[in-house]
Amino acid sequence: MEKVKIITAEEAANLLQDGDTLTTSGFVSSCIPEALNKAVEKRFLNTGHPKSLTYIYASSQGNKKGCGGEHYAHKGLLKRFVAAHWATVPSLGEMALRNEFEAYNLPQGALCHLFRDIAGKKPGTITQVGLGTFVDPHNGGGKLNEITTEDMVELISVRGREYLFYPSFPIQVAFLRGTYADEAGNVSLEKEVATLEATSVAQAVKNSGGIVVVQVEAIVAAGTLDPRMIKIPRIYVDYVVVAAADDHEQCLGCSYDPSICGERRVLANIAASDSFPMSAKKIIGRRGMLELKPGDVVNLGVGAPEYVAAAAAEEGIGDRMTLTVESGLIGGIPQGGPRFGSSQNAEAVLDQGYQFDFYDGGGLDLAFLGLAECDEKGNINVSRFGPKIAGCGGFIDISQNTGRVCFCGTFTAGGLRVRIADGKVHIEQEGKQKKFLKKVEEVTFSGDMAIKNGQHVRYITERCVLELREDGLHLIEIAPGIDLETQILQQMEFSPILDKINGEIPLMDSRIFDEGIMGIA
């Protein structure tokens, strides 16, 4: 058996030709081949090459501090950039808005499946994910600026039903990340927080006639790796780069944590006595928790939705639901911040594409997702805000295909101050930005599609709960202490339908606003 070719990161960067299509691995700040990314940046700054690359990845890669995908944020280096989530690479977002390269924002699950379809030499990915959103060709097809004209999404009909078609294309180079490579080039990922789409990407590039380079921590003797841990077999691998420890952190800027890669389990249960302070987000988390049914399989977005898990743990019912993460993790406690995409004490680690198969098929019972902007049709925008491209990530895949969806967030933004006392909510300072608008800037979730698909959709805030129905948004609950006219209706750009009983909007559960445990268990 031949030994794999071991090269330096600089030699790997020299493999890229002008005009190539490149993909790299990563999920937020984890699984990133940082030595390879740095080497490409260094080569370009020194020589002006490679230039005019098409750069594509499925999720999010960066920490907003010049790492990950931001190493490619130099004028001339990229011709085109395609990704699901842009918030962690703000420099690339700024360049896109200056029309310095073609730019696309496409759903995370659709991109994961596209890699798999490229590997199988299929014409592309056919899915309903994205219909009715900004990804739909009727609404721009995921294009982000004026110079982006080529359609990467097409509308087609199959047996009388509309679908979106994401066409395949060849990929010349993949820079991936693993833990160990044996002498033959088999790569394991046991210290990574997830396996992501590593296998599919390696297959896609290899079957495109391209080059697969894997950054690892170390080379080990042939035959010493557990074959069940091999996610990138030697037949897919052209070169291996052994990275220095500083360029091979498990998660950028974080110390190694064996509990988020399955190496070790830790005590992570939160006792009912371990309460966290009352706040607007705790109210949202508690009200969201009331939507849970025993045995629910759940996905949590970042921000306010994370408080649902905290509230459930505080009540001692966290084990009555199974949390999942789009990166491919099932069970355990999803982590936030730079470690988003990992879970402490996960029960199972799937490839990301398989997780989205489950999501797309309606496998989730309930999703708690962010609420940045909402309009009178129940549409949600979390992907674009004026000069800021946040990106959709897996939001479209999850929100469109889950039977019960709760969008969670404060009622207004920008300086909102809330005090909870005497079982009531007191707005001490209103937020400067309204979030319930006549029309959202960009549709990341389509209310019309939700009605068509029969989804049960609620919008949970610290002061009220709304529900989407065929005739519009209904205001179904109000928090004690909140004035309907001044603190709800005047803070909206449209008028919801008021669901009054005996002339009054029903109050939210009073236990939500008590300092003590609610007693849900």
Side-chain angles (χ1 to χ4, degrees), residues 2-24:
E2 288 188 20
K3 290 188 177 181
V4 69
K5 296 177 182 177
I6 302 171
I7 61 175
T8 65
E10 291 71 24
E11 289 172 325
N14 288 331
L15 297 170
L16 278 164
Q17 303 297 309
D18 294 348
D20 275 353
T21 296
L22 167 70
T23 185
T24 56

Side-chain angles (χ1 to χ4, degrees), residues 421-435:
D422 304 318
K424 296 180 180 179
V425 176
H426 304 271
I427 307 298
E428 296 193 328
Q429 178 175 296
E430 192 59 82
K432 297 176 183 177
Q433 288 92 42
K434 293 180 179 179
K435 296 171 74 171

Side-chain angles (χ1 to χ4, degrees), residues 220-257:
V220 300
T224 59
L225 295 176
D226 184 338
R228 293 168 295 184
M229 300 300 294
I230 302 298
K231 297 300 296 184
I232 312 175
R234 63 178 177 81
I235 59 173
Y236 306 161
V237 178
D238 294 290
Y239 302 98
V240 168
V241 171
V242 180
D246 288 349
D247 289 331
H248 204 79
E249 295 175 295
Q250 183 187 43
C251 175
L252 296 173
C254 301
S255 57
Y256 179 72
D257 184 348

Side-chain angles (χ1 to χ4, degrees), residues 198-214:
T199 304
S200 294
V201 168
Q203 290 176 335
V205 175
K206 200 66 180 174
N207 286 350
S208 294
I211 299 169
V212 176
V213 183
V214 186

